[in-house]
Amino acid sequence: MAIGWLIAFAFWAAIWLWVFLSDDPAIWITERDLELMKPIVNNRVGWLTSVMEWTNEAIPWVTFAVGWTTIIIGLAAKRIRHVLLFVASATIGSVVATLVANEIQRPRPLGFERLGDWEGFAQPSRPITLLTIALMAFGLTLVPGGTMRRAWLVATAVLVTWFGVAQVYLAVDHPTDLTSAATVGVAIVLLLYRSGAPEQVFPIRYHTGKTAHLDVTGARGEAIRRALQTQLGVEVTHLQPVGLAGSAGSTPLRIQQRDGPDLFAKLYARSHLRSDRSYKLGRTLLYGRLEDEQHFTSVRRLIQHEDYMLHVMGRAGVDTMEPCGIVEITPDREYLLVSEFLEGATEISETEITVELIDRALATVDALWHAGLAHRDIKPANVMVQGDRLRLIDVAFGQVRPSPWREAVDLANMMLVLALGSNPELVYERARLRFSEDEIAEAFAASRGVTLPSALRADVKRDGRELLERFRQLAPAREPVAIQRWSIRRAALTLWVAFVAMLVMAIFFGSLPEIGLSP
């Protein structure tokens, strides 16, 4: 569909160029337009004229209402990319319509009594261009794909046609002014949205799941199956998402194969890479570069890092998942990290916390410390219990040779995870058998809301026992470890982001009348 509209846009561009080069085509097109308009304009009816005048006056208000609805609901639904694409579409559409109209300088329909308000030249119709862009962007930003999306596109066609008929009836615009405007609006929106927010990567859904979770049915599912077969020799019989509640940075999958045990896989795409960049930029602005806040430069490097950390932690004696390989789905865009599936394993939050389990979890942190490693994302969903084994998973944030501060945070987070299912006094006593009181005190002096993974922070808040404060009471007194890190780079980055934000806001609010978002 997008290709067809782009071809239509190219057709109108050729017509405009033709008109620039010669007056004869413009005269011929105008004559055909006037022939089409005569039976409509010459047979006006009193009550219908009133309706058409009201309809014509409603065009800017409909554009205004639909546009701001798209922006407000889009921002509330965290579809910032789609909102930016809508604003860009409206801006480009306004510029194209204005430039072409000023170059062609086509007058309003001659020989008829014009009843509606108008200004500027006629080809293409600027109000219809902006209305079409607003309606199309609304559908691509807020309406889920499928039947609902198709229904909205049909409704858009009906609305644009109705408003266009009103302008022809009132002799405000020629028919070709309206068809070219609608074509320009649709083509611009489809071009920007298909390239900047493709549906297969940024689907419109309304559910409680995380945006990190990609759809693995349809074409993507078939591509995953083919890639596993050709690259790892795995013949997939069933593919399903698993453990979505505890995953926010990838799409976790369970893979059932024809011959062999089930496998676990994490699907990474460019959307996850962008999320990583945004997250680390926000952290740098809020706290400075705490440690290892460099973003990954490609999806390939992102998944290579996690595969590397699985091997390093396994070699260091940390009980984690056995990696099986990396599968390329789309070069530089989508990759799959395949590992063993922990059959029969459950999250530690769903398991009875015994003394033996506490000791095993603390021994895992001790093994990380001795190997010079940090997990950096210890939370209930990443601590699995499989029989008498404690498995530490999701090592994507893992770090080699971390600072003592980062190691201390790992210890504090693990003790909080254990305390959620038992009590802080027991966890503290068992920790003293492996760590010194100074090390434990340092861990909780370094811990606060920002150092806790969001899922763990939410669990601690729901627990209601003030676990952090209780651990601080049990440990020797320590001054809180400051996490704010100011540097020239952070100050310059903050000023640059503030400048760009103010510049964008100034341009946006200054251009509201031009893009139809000012009444």
Side-chain angles (χ1 to χ4, degrees):
M1 183 176 68
I3 298 299
W5 283 103
L6 289 176
I7 293 174
F9 180 82
F11 167 78
W12 278 109
I15 294 294
W16 294 331
L17 184 60
W18 190 26
V19 171
F20 292 157
L21 297 177
S22 173
D23 291 335
D24 292 338
I27 296 173
W28 184 87
I29 293 172
T30 300
E31 289 175 348
R32 303 291 81 75
D33 274 334
L34 296 178
E35 289 176 2
L36 290 173
M37 294 178 67
K38 282 180 182 179
I40 300 175
V41 178
N42 292 338
N43 293 282
R44 289 170 175 163
V45 180
W47 66 268
L48 183 57
T49 300
S50 299
V51 172
M52 290 303 182
E53 287 178 332
W54 179 88
T55 301
N56 184 56
E57 292 172 359
I59 291 177
W61 290 100
V62 172
T63 304
F64 173 81
V66 173
W68 277 108
T69 299
T70 302
I71 291 175
I72 293 171
I73 299 181
L75 292 176
K78 299 181 180 180
R79 299 197 184 107
I80 299 175
R81 173 178 295 268
H82 293 77
V83 171
L84 293 176
L85 289 173
F86 162 55
V87 174
S89 299
T91 303
I92 294 173
S94 176
V95 170
V96 170
T98 302
L99 289 178
V100 173
N102 289 337
E103 288 295 333
I104 295 179
Q105 297 187 1
R106 188 184 197 187
R108 300 289 167 169
L110 302 175
F112 303 113
E113 180 188 2
R114 285 186 293 278
L115 301 179
D117 295 331
W118 59 274
E119 61 179 14
F121 298 108
Q123 173 66 258
S125 171
R126 188 170 171 275
I128 294 298
T129 300
L130 296 178
L131 174 67
T132 304
I133 288 174
L135 291 170
M136 287 292 297
F138 181 97
L140 296 178
T141 301
L142 304 179
V143 181
T147 303
M148 294 181 64
R149 174 77 58 77
R150 288 191 292 271
W152 177 258
L153 294 179
V154 171
T156 296
V158 171
L159 286 171
V160 172
T161 301
W162 172 250
F163 285 114
V165 168
Q167 291 199 295
V168 170
Y169 182 93
L170 299 174
V172 173
D173 281 315
H174 306 85
T176 53
D177 302 334
L178 306 171
T179 53
S180 62
T183 301
V184 168
V186 173
I188 289 174
V189 171
L190 289 180
L191 176 63
L192 291 186
Y193 273 74
R194 291 292 186 270
S195 58
E199 184 71 18
Q200 64 270 26
V201 180
F202 300 95
I204 305 302
R205 297 195 188 96
Y206 293 93
H207 53 66
T208 57
K210 301 179 176 66
T211 56
H213 304 149
L214 304 177
D215 182 17
V216 292
T217 60
R220 179 182 281 117
E222 290 302 316
I224 291 174
R225 294 169 186 268
R226 287 195 302 271
L228 284 167
Q229 174 69 45
T230 57
Q231 298 176 37
L232 291 187
V234 174
E235 186 175 353
V236 179
T237 59
H238 189 58
L239 182 71
Q240 68 177 29
V242 62
L244 298 182
S247 173
S250 64
T251 304
L253 304 170
R254 180 172 184 169
I255 301 171
Q256 296 179 9
Q257 56 178 327
R258 186 172 301 280
D259 299 313
D262 290 357
L263 298 173
F264 177 77
K266 295 176 69 175
L267 176 63
Y268 284 104
R270 281 191 177 179
S271 56
H272 302 120
L273 183 68
R274 284 187 284 264
S275 296
D276 176 74
R277 288 174 176 172
S278 301
Y279 170 77
K280 289 180 176 177
L281 173 61
R283 298 264 294 188
T284 301
L285 292 175
L286 289 174
Y287 310 108
R289 179 160 293 174
L290 297 179
E291 185 178 340
D292 194 30
E293 298 293 357
Q294 292 276 8
H295 64 257
F296 293 99
T297 56
S298 67
V299 186
R300 189 193 301 265
R301 288 192 177 277
L302 176 63
I303 202 165
Q304 284 176 343
H305 175 76
E306 183 165 0
D307 181 68
Y308 168 73
M309 291 306 303
L310 283 173
H311 283 88
V312 170
M313 288 191 179
R315 189 169 63 243
V318 178
D319 200 351
T320 184
M321 306 169 78
E322 182 67 27
C324 300
I326 296 174
V327 174
E328 183 179 72
I329 309 301
T330 304
D332 297 321
R333 182 177 290 273
E334 293 188 7
Y335 291 84
L336 205 65
L337 178 61
V338 184
S339 62
E340 66 170 317
F341 184 81
L342 303 184
E343 192 68 52
T346 58
E347 291 184 12
I348 194 169
S349 59
E350 302 171 0
T351 305
E352 180 185 359
I353 305 297
T354 62
V355 172
E356 291 76 14
L357 189 59
I358 293 174
D359 290 343
R360 198 170 294 120
L362 295 172
T364 299
V365 176
D366 192 30
L368 288 171
W369 281 25
H370 280 88
L373 302 171
H375 185 277
R376 300 181 67 230
D377 194 25
I378 294 178
K379 58 186 180 182
N382 290 341
V383 183
M384 306 293 291
V385 179
Q386 185 184 36
D388 60 351
R389 301 174 66 182
L390 185 137
R391 315 289 294 272
L392 197 59
I393 66 170
D394 198 359
V395 300
F397 290 160
Q399 184 181 354
V400 177
R401 297 303 166 196
S403 68
W405 173 81
R406 179 63 71 184
E407 291 180 325
V409 168
D410 267 2
L411 174 60
N413 288 346
M414 182 62 84
M415 292 178 67
L416 286 170
V417 168
L418 296 171
L420 286 170
S422 58
N423 62 79
E425 290 78 12
L426 175 61
V427 174
Y428 181 79
E429 287 303 318
R430 303 310 298 181
R432 287 180 59 200
L433 300 177
R434 191 171 292 273
F435 302 96
S436 69
E437 289 190 337
D438 285 341
E439 289 172 333
I440 299 173
E442 192 74 13
F444 287 100
S447 295
R448 61 200 62 202
V450 67
T451 67
L452 276 63
S454 57
L456 176 58
R457 187 163 60 247
D459 289 340
V460 170
K461 184 176 180 180
R462 280 194 298 269
D463 184 83
R465 287 183 290 168
E466 300 293 340
L467 296 177
L468 263 175
E469 290 303 319
R470 182 55 184 152
F471 276 121
R472 288 171 181 153
Q473 292 171 2
L474 293 170
R478 282 288 188 282
E479 288 294 324
V481 176
I483 62 172
Q484 287 287 348
R485 296 291 184 269
W486 281 101
S487 64
I488 295 177
R489 180 185 182 279
R490 180 189 176 187
L493 183 62
T494 301
L495 291 174
W496 171 249
V497 170
F499 170 76
V500 171
M502 289 188 292
L503 180 63
V504 170
M505 294 298 291
I507 294 174
F508 172 68
F509 285 107
S511 63
L512 289 181
E514 298 299 321
I515 61 178
L517 295 180
S518 179

